[in-house]
């Protein structure tokens, strides 16, 4: 469903992605793990044609309209309420009103439809941004650290929504810096370090390779074992 082949990206003299190659299968949650600055958001920007790669090829098995996107900067209109925010995008893309109400309900915001965005908690804003991303029922969904900065209970709610989207047929491309989150959600993961893929596979198997005890290792300990470097 999503492919990258030998992608290279430079900003000036700095190489931010080097020979990046991977494949995400249809109807799976594909995880891209790495610390801040590893190149995760750059990969999403290339895949969604917001940036051009310097070398290599990429493809997505869905049209632009069949793709949903949720970035760290939510881009919500703070003076509008939840319903009005979704209606803006529904009007632009010709999405029926029933989809708006369905999206709000799916993220648990049906009772906050008339609440102004400026008065929402961060967790509620994250859920509203996710509702906007799934408004058109996309086949492919890009989520850039969707649970970052959330309390554990709110994060679990986001996780449940993501699993439901996968179970309902969506392919989810998820970036995170949390190994525990990846183990809980992802069918397959790629570990990115300084723009280079250093490991990939099924999360449980990666944990077993780099952790002798039966707990989920933190991402930094995995990277230290793989690269010999501490994360910055």
């Amino acid at each position: 469903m999503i492919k990258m082949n030998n992608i290279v990206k430079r900003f000036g003299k700095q190489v931010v992605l080097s020979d990046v190659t991977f494949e995400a299968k249809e109807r799976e949650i594909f995880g891209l793990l790495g610390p801040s600055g590893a190149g995760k958001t750059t990969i999403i920007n290339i895949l969604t044609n917001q940036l051009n790669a310097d070398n290599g090829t990429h493809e997505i098995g869905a049209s632009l309209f069949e793709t949903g996107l949720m970035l760290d900067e939510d881009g919500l209109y703070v003076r509008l309420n939840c319903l009005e925010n979704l209606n803006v995008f529904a009007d632009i893309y010709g999405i029926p009103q029933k989809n708006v109400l369905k999206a709000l309900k799916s993220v648990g915001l049906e009772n906050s439809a008339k609440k102004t965005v400026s008065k929402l908690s961060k967790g509620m804003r994250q859920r509203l941004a996710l509702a906007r991303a799934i408004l058109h029922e996309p086949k492919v969904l890009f989520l850039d650290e969707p649970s970052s900065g959330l309390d554990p209970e709110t994060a679990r709610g986001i996780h449940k929504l993501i699993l439901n989207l996968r179970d309902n047929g969506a392919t989810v491309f998820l970036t995170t810096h949390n190994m525990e989150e990846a183990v809980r959600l992802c069918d397959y993961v790629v570990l990115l370090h300084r723009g280079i893929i250093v490991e990939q596979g099924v999360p449980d198997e990666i944990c077993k390779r780099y952790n002798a005890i039966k707990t989920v290792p933190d991402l930094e300990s995995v990277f230290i074992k793989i690269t010999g470097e501490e994360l910055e």
Side-chain angles (χ1 to χ4, degrees):
M1 180 58 78
I2 303 171
K3 293 182 180 179
M4 265 195 163
N5 295 302
N6 308 115
I7 290 290
V8 175
K9 180 62 183 176
R10 303 178 185 88
F11 291 118
K13 294 182 179 180
Q14 183 183 8
V15 179
V16 295
L17 295 176
S18 180
D19 197 31
V20 171
T21 298
F22 61 76
E23 180 176 345
K25 296 179 181 179
E26 187 175 2
R27 303 184 70 161
E28 77 171 4
I29 299 176
F30 177 94
L32 182 62
L33 279 77
S36 297
K40 304 188 299 297
T41 302
T42 300
I43 285 177
I44 286 183
N45 287 339
I46 290 173
L47 285 171
T48 54
N49 295 318
Q50 298 177 78
L51 275 178
N52 292 322
D54 295 307
N55 295 98
T57 61
H58 63 88
E59 60 181 288
I60 299 175
S63 68
L64 180 62
F65 187 76
E66 294 173 316
T67 302
L69 182 63
M70 177 184 171
L71 297 177
D72 184 47
E73 295 293 331
D74 58 45
L76 297 169
Y77 300 108
V78 295
R79 295 184 181 181
L80 301 182
N81 63 38
C82 295
L83 184 61
E84 290 168 338
N85 263 272
L86 297 193
N87 280 336
V88 168
F89 290 89
D91 290 344
I92 292 171
Y93 294 106
I95 298 169
Q97 183 69 19
K98 65 179 183 179
N99 286 45
V100 174
L101 300 176
K102 180 181 177 181
L104 279 174
K105 185 175 181 179
S106 70
V107 300
L109 290 177
E110 67 270 30
N111 294 327
S112 301
K114 298 298 181 67
K115 193 168 185 176
T116 306
V117 167
S118 61
K119 297 179 180 179
L120 298 180
S121 67
K122 180 172 183 178
M124 294 176 77
R125 287 184 65 139
Q126 292 280 74
R127 285 187 281 151
L128 182 59
L130 181 56
R132 187 184 60 194
I134 64 174
L135 194 58
H136 56 305
E137 300 178 344
K139 292 172 61 177
V140 176
L141 183 62
F142 290 93
L143 303 176
D144 194 6
E145 301 193 3
S147 62
S148 177
L150 300 183
D151 63 85
E153 184 177 354
T154 304
R156 283 192 293 270
I158 294 288
H159 293 167
K160 184 178 179 180
L161 290 170
I162 294 170
L163 290 169
N164 286 340
L165 290 166
R166 188 272 315 274
D167 293 344
N168 288 325
T171 300
V172 181
F173 188 100
L174 171 75
T175 72
T176 181
H177 57 265
N178 187 321
M179 195 70 190
E180 186 175 350
E181 180 172 68
V183 171
R184 182 180 296 116
L185 295 179
C186 298
D187 301 293
Y188 193 87
V189 297
V190 161
L191 274 62
L192 193 70
H193 181 64
R194 300 183 187 275
I196 299 171
I197 292 177
V198 295
E199 181 63 276
Q200 59 182 301
V202 177
D204 283 339
E205 294 176 356
I206 291 176
C207 288
K208 290 175 183 177
R209 283 200 289 273
Y210 297 100
N211 192 32
I213 58 177
K214 294 182 179 181
T215 60
V216 177
D218 62 83
L219 188 61
E220 182 165 10
S221 67
V222 173
F223 271 103
I224 290 173
K225 290 178 181 179
I226 296 173
T227 67
E229 300 179 25
E230 293 186 3
L231 299 182
E232 297 179 354

